[in-house]
Amino acid sequence: MNSWRVTKYNPLHRNNEGSYLYDDWTSFHEVGKKVSLADYLKIEEAYIQAIVAFMNEMDISTVYIHALEFSSNEIQNQHASDFTSNLWIGKGISIEEVKELAKLTLREAVWCKLGIKNLFFAHFGYDYYMYIGAHSNCYGARESVESLGLYVEKFESPY
């Protein structure tokens, strides 16, 4: 299985230990403080489209929820109670549902791991890190993601 770290962070700005050297926003909660809403939404959409690009290249229309945690206050803030009430570990979800769940994860209302055993995964980490794995090399998806302004680095998911 191939595995990549997909982020907004330029790998040229990391030290030898891999730590990012610049003080950059790392959370939805920094909108209005360190990042404008418009800039945040642009990056958020790029992350969501990154998942879709990999799923499309692999001809995947459904993935499964392998891990799921809720932050009830944030779910209420995002007006997502109806959506999240229909989610559970093991449920298969469509690309449209993946988009919504990824958005809620990036906004810290939920945390999840998505995937299809031995074929594909999308994991979310702290500080706006995302990990994608695929059975194939997904050259087209990686190129597409980089054209969105994100960076795709070979990296094993810690999740």
Side-chain angles (χ1 to χ4, degrees):
M1 176 86 78
N2 299 291
S3 183
W4 303 276
R5 176 172 61 188
V6 178
T7 70
K8 64 186 186 78
Y9 308 111
N10 186 333
L12 296 176
H13 302 146
R14 293 185 185 282
N15 65 19
N16 291 337
E17 290 80 42
S19 298
Y20 196 66
L21 299 174
Y22 294 115
D23 182 26
D24 200 352
W25 65 269
T26 60
S27 167
F28 174 71
H29 299 290
E30 294 176 277
V31 170
K33 299 172 188 133
K34 283 186 151 182
V35 62
S36 70
L37 180 59
D39 288 345
Y40 172 84
L41 291 173
K42 179 182 172 194
I43 295 295
E44 177 185 82
E45 183 61 24
Y47 274 66
I48 293 167
Q49 290 308 311
I51 298 169
V52 171
F54 279 91
M55 289 179 68
N56 285 341
E57 180 155 333
M58 296 197 57
D59 199 27
I60 295 171
S61 59
T62 302
V63 296
Y64 298 88
I65 300 172
H66 293 291
L68 185 64
E69 296 175 13
F70 298 108
S71 170
S72 57
N73 288 343
E74 290 304 318
I75 288 170
Q76 288 176 345
N77 291 343
Q78 295 298 320
H79 309 288
S81 296
D82 289 343
F83 176 74
T84 58
S85 68
N86 291 311
L87 300 176
W88 60 86
I89 293 174
K91 180 180 183 182
I93 59 174
S94 69
I95 288 179
E96 287 306 311
E97 291 169 310
V98 167
K99 290 178 182 180
E100 183 64 19
L101 187 53
K103 179 181 84 171
L104 292 172
T105 302
L106 293 167
R107 293 182 182 189
E108 302 174 37
V110 302
W111 177 79
C112 67
K113 290 170 52 176
L114 306 172
I116 299 174
K117 189 175 185 177
N118 299 321
L119 187 62
F120 172 81
F121 69 78
H123 300 162
F124 297 88
Y126 295 103
D127 295 339
Y128 234 79
Y129 282 81
M130 182 170 69
Y131 304 90
I132 293 182
H135 183 63
S136 73
N137 284 320
C138 295
Y139 294 114
R142 290 186 291 155
E143 197 171 273
S144 173
V145 170
E146 289 176 350
S147 76
L148 296 169
L150 299 179
Y151 300 92
V152 181
E153 305 166 83
K154 192 91 172 140
F155 199 91
E156 292 296 317
S157 171
Y159 300 97

